[in-house]
Amino acid sequence: MKTIGKVLIQFENVTLGYRRHVVARDVSFTISEGEFVGIVGPNGSGKTTIVRAMLSILRPQGGVIRISGQSSSRLRIGYVPQRDSIDPIMPFTVFDVVMMGRYGRLGPVQIPTASDRNMTLDALAHVDLADLASTSYRDLSGGQKQRALIARALAAEPDILILDEPTNGMDLASRITILDLIKHFHSEHGMTVVMISHLLSDVANVVKKIMLVEPRFFQVGSVEEILSEENLRRIYDMPVTVGEWMDTKVIIARGKSV
Amino acid sequence: MSDAEILHTIFTEFPFALFGSVIAGILCAYLGVYVISKRVVFVGATLTQVAVAGIAFAHLPYVHIEPVYGSIVFTVIVTLLFGWMLQSKSVPRDTILGASFVAAIALRILMIQKSAGAEASEIDAILKGDILFITADQFHLLLVAFLSIMTVHLLFQKAFLFVSFDAETATTQGFDSRWWEMLFYLTIGGAISIATRVVGDVFVIGFLVVPPAGAILTARKVKNIFLLSILYAILPPIIGLYLAFRLDMPAGPTTVATALLLLLGTWILSRLKR
């Protein structure tokens, strides 16, 4: 596994919002090379807003955001959006979609080369979708679509992988496959990963550092510090039990898994 | 008149009508693939009405500018406004487009009312889609617009496709989606403003929707959708002009009706193949 290296993303007392509506205030954290960070919080708490700021899609209303140090080259981000946000009418093949990951390196005019095609095929092989390269993206299952979007992010040869709710709405088998895949890229390839999820158990079992986003508060720390029973009870306003079963962290609220 | 004589007359007496409507058809059919895939057909319909309002404005007493300039100025201004307003989440996109659509039609009617009789009849001819009398100047302007817009689109096809598929990720990869969206709408606005002046609003709306819809129904690859959409746009103007001659009907709507019949045939064939 890769050791923690230089700081890739740094937020200092950042305020985020849309026009007059402030979503998150006083957000401070760093993400360093080789880290696996989870972003959790209730629905509408501002998780995606923080990620949009990391992606430089949203400008901060206050504070400072530093991306990839001071004068180094641009941080290359492999972004995996929520798959439901993509609903194409055109029959893009899986290969077409993954090839888009190369476009950032090519620029708007340059035509993909044989090397770009090979990188695309490699990325497809990494997520076990090589056989479906010529299938229409529209015809894939939810889990396959998610893997195609991860392959597209990998094809960009990113410094950091940012995933927005990668397991949302998936059945158990697909969920485990996706989480294993992400864990594999972190542990075997040393990939820096940031994963948003509202599924606390998913995050608790794969990440080492957690950001907990609430409408008025922002906390960052280890899994044990942040996902404590007391903290979760306060946030979700219900009794929560945090335990371990067969080496797996389990978070239960009133008999329901959260 | 025999069929051969009709076709001979069209080719020799009305070449600008024939080639102008084919060029306008190809341009609209190509851009229409994006219009449909981005689910912004109403933007196309609204801009067409804005273009007609611009033409009506050019015919007002004391204004007297070349109608195509009125069309271009109105459409570009509204396109830039759309680029800004459609980003807003406070007012729904459909509401903005609906209001603009109605405003353009109301403005057009009011301005036609204030135009001189002869000029009002020229606007009426545009609305009816009288494409037979396309002039050499109009044809050359359309040709320049066609070559310019197609060059931009073919040169930056990768960026336009990426942004239309997933604007947010495209932005993270260095393709500022707001900029590319604006460029896309400006090319759409440019094409609609000039094509509406030359071939009429019914033709433009029809060819922004019908050939791309047929191509999307038939093709299994993105590249083939663009090619098929262009192919679907070539035949209807020729058949439409022939039928307009034969049946003494306005050529624009006849051409669109031909394209619709082609779409219907394509849809039936695609259902039978399944």
Side-chain angles (χ1 to χ4, degrees):
Chain A
M1 198 186 94
K2 210 170 183 176
T3 51
I4 305 302
K6 74 166 186 175
V7 173
L8 299 179
I9 297 174
Q10 183 173 18
F11 277 45
E12 269 181 27
N13 301 318
V14 171
T15 301
L16 297 168
Y18 303 93
R19 295 192 181 173
R20 286 179 192 168
H21 176 60
V22 173
V23 176
R25 210 185 284 277
D26 283 332
V27 177
S28 297
F29 63 84
T30 58
I31 295 172
S32 301
E33 215 171 24
E35 278 192 313
F36 195 151
V37 182
I39 304 181
V40 297
N43 292 335
S45 59
K47 303 186 289 291
T48 299
T49 302
I50 289 174
V51 166
R52 285 170 64 84
M54 284 186 203
L55 298 171
S56 305
I57 293 172
L58 183 69
R59 285 185 189 162
Q61 293 181 342
V64 179
I65 298 176
R66 291 192 186 87
I67 308 283
S68 196
Q70 291 78 34
S71 58
S72 59
S73 61
R74 192 168 71 92
L75 182 70
R76 199 158 284 282
I77 294 172
Y79 175 54
V80 182
Q82 294 190 27
R83 69 182 186 287
D84 293 342
S85 68
I86 299 172
D87 179 23
I89 287 176
M90 281 204 258
F92 288 98
T93 64
V94 174
F95 184 87
D96 292 337
V97 171
V98 178
M99 175 60 91
M100 287 176 192
R102 303 295 301 160
Y103 288 0
R105 288 184 174 268
L106 290 168
V109 180
Q110 202 181 323
I111 293 165
T113 62
S115 152
D116 294 308
R117 281 187 282 276
N118 288 336
M119 289 295 299
T120 302
L121 290 171
D122 280 352
L124 279 167
H126 273 307
V127 300
D128 203 18
L129 278 184
D131 293 344
L132 297 177
S134 54
T135 306
S136 173
Y137 175 83
R138 292 182 309 196
D139 297 337
L140 299 182
S141 68
Q144 288 168 333
K145 279 182 181 166
Q146 196 65 63
R147 280 191 279 151
L149 294 179
I150 291 173
R152 183 181 65 170
L154 294 174
E157 298 176 87
D159 302 312
I160 183 169
L161 195 61
I162 299 180
L163 307 105
D164 192 353
E165 303 276 9
T167 55
N168 201 13
M170 280 187 186
D171 62 38
L172 186 64
S174 304
R175 223 172 94 193
I176 299 300
T177 307
I178 295 293
L179 287 174
D180 282 348
L181 192 65
I182 298 165
K183 268 197 292 189
H184 170 79
F185 286 119
H186 172 68
S187 58
E188 300 301 319
H189 301 276
M191 180 73 74
T192 311
V193 181
V194 175
M195 184 172 91
I196 297 185
S197 182
H198 64 271
L199 302 168
L200 298 178
S201 297
D202 278 4
V203 177
N205 285 295
V206 293
V207 308
K208 294 177 181 66
K209 181 170 161 182
I210 281 198
M211 296 179 198
L212 181 60
V213 187
E214 298 173 70
R216 286 192 190 81
F217 301 101
F218 176 82
Q219 302 173 60
V220 59
S222 68
V223 173
E224 289 71 24
E225 282 167 353
I226 301 296
L227 298 184
S228 66
E229 287 181 359
E230 194 184 327
N231 220 1
L232 294 176
R233 187 182 307 125
R234 183 180 58 77
I235 293 160
Y236 290 97
D237 199 22
M238 61 172 68
V240 175
T241 302
V242 179
E244 272 202 27
W245 187 67
M246 295 179 73
D247 293 333
T248 303
K249 290 186 183 71
V250 181
I251 299 169
I252 310 274
R254 290 191 184 275
K256 292 175 187 169
S257 172
V258 291
Chain B
M1 233 184 194
S2 68
D3 291 346
E5 280 172 334
I6 289 175
L7 286 172
H8 183 260
T9 307
I10 291 170
F11 273 92
T12 54
E13 302 292 322
F14 301 98
F16 295 130
L18 179 67
F19 297 112
S21 53
V22 168
I23 286 175
I26 291 174
L27 184 59
C28 292
Y30 184 91
L31 296 176
V33 173
Y34 287 104
V35 168
I36 289 189
S37 65
K38 287 158 106 57
R39 298 174 171 87
V40 291
V41 171
F42 205 25
V43 171
T46 304
L47 287 180
T48 312
Q49 293 314 307
V50 170
V52 177
I55 293 165
F57 173 78
H59 284 95
L60 279 177
Y62 309 115
V63 176
H64 286 300
I65 54 170
E66 172 56 38
V68 77
Y69 296 136
S71 172
I72 292 172
V73 169
F74 267 54
T75 314
V76 167
I77 289 173
V78 172
T79 304
L80 291 172
L81 281 173
F82 278 174
W84 168 62
M85 290 166 76
L86 294 178
Q87 310 274 345
S88 159
K89 297 209 188 303
S90 50
V91 184
R93 174 181 279 227
D94 282 359
T95 309
I96 294 170
L97 291 174
S100 311
F101 183 78
V102 168
I105 290 177
L107 209 59
R108 181 190 85 198
I109 293 168
L110 292 174
M111 286 191 288
I112 292 173
Q113 195 74 31
K114 291 292 174 191
S115 302
E119 290 171 336
S121 69
E122 190 185 330
I123 304 167
D124 197 43
I126 290 170
L127 292 176
K128 276 188 185 160
D130 230 344
I131 59 179
L132 277 183
F133 301 103
I134 294 175
T135 64
D137 283 349
Q138 288 173 352
F139 175 78
H140 290 133
L141 181 67
L142 182 65
L143 189 62
V144 169
F146 172 80
L147 292 174
S148 316
I149 291 168
M150 288 304 287
T151 303
V152 169
H153 270 268
L154 293 177
L155 204 58
F156 301 122
Q157 192 187 38
K158 212 155 37 80
F160 284 124
L161 282 174
F162 196 3
V163 171
S164 76
F165 177 76
D166 180 2
E168 201 165 65
T169 305
T171 302
T172 70
Q173 296 291 309
F175 294 86
D176 186 338
S177 59
R178 275 179 300 185
W179 192 90
W180 286 103
E181 290 277 15
M182 186 57 85
L183 181 62
F184 168 75
Y185 283 116
L186 280 175
T187 59
I188 286 276
I192 287 176
S193 61
I194 294 168
T196 302
R197 171 68 186 97
V198 178
V199 292
D201 61 339
V202 177
F203 184 108
V204 172
I205 298 172
F207 276 73
L208 277 174
V209 176
V210 179
I216 287 169
L217 276 175
T218 324
R220 297 203 172 273
K221 286 191 172 175
V222 172
K223 193 170 69 180
N224 294 346
I225 287 182
F226 286 103
L227 289 174
L228 266 180
S229 186
I230 288 171
L231 282 178
Y232 285 143
I234 293 173
L235 211 52
I238 302 169
I239 301 172
L241 277 173
Y242 164 79
L243 289 174
F245 256 85
R246 168 66 65 203
L247 306 171
D248 190 23
M249 292 192 298
T254 311
T255 303
V256 174
T258 309
L260 275 166
L261 282 175
L262 199 64
L263 172 67
L264 186 67
T266 307
W267 180 75
I268 291 170
L269 276 177
S270 72
R271 299 294 295 178
L272 288 175
K273 268 187 178 176
R274 282 180 193 175

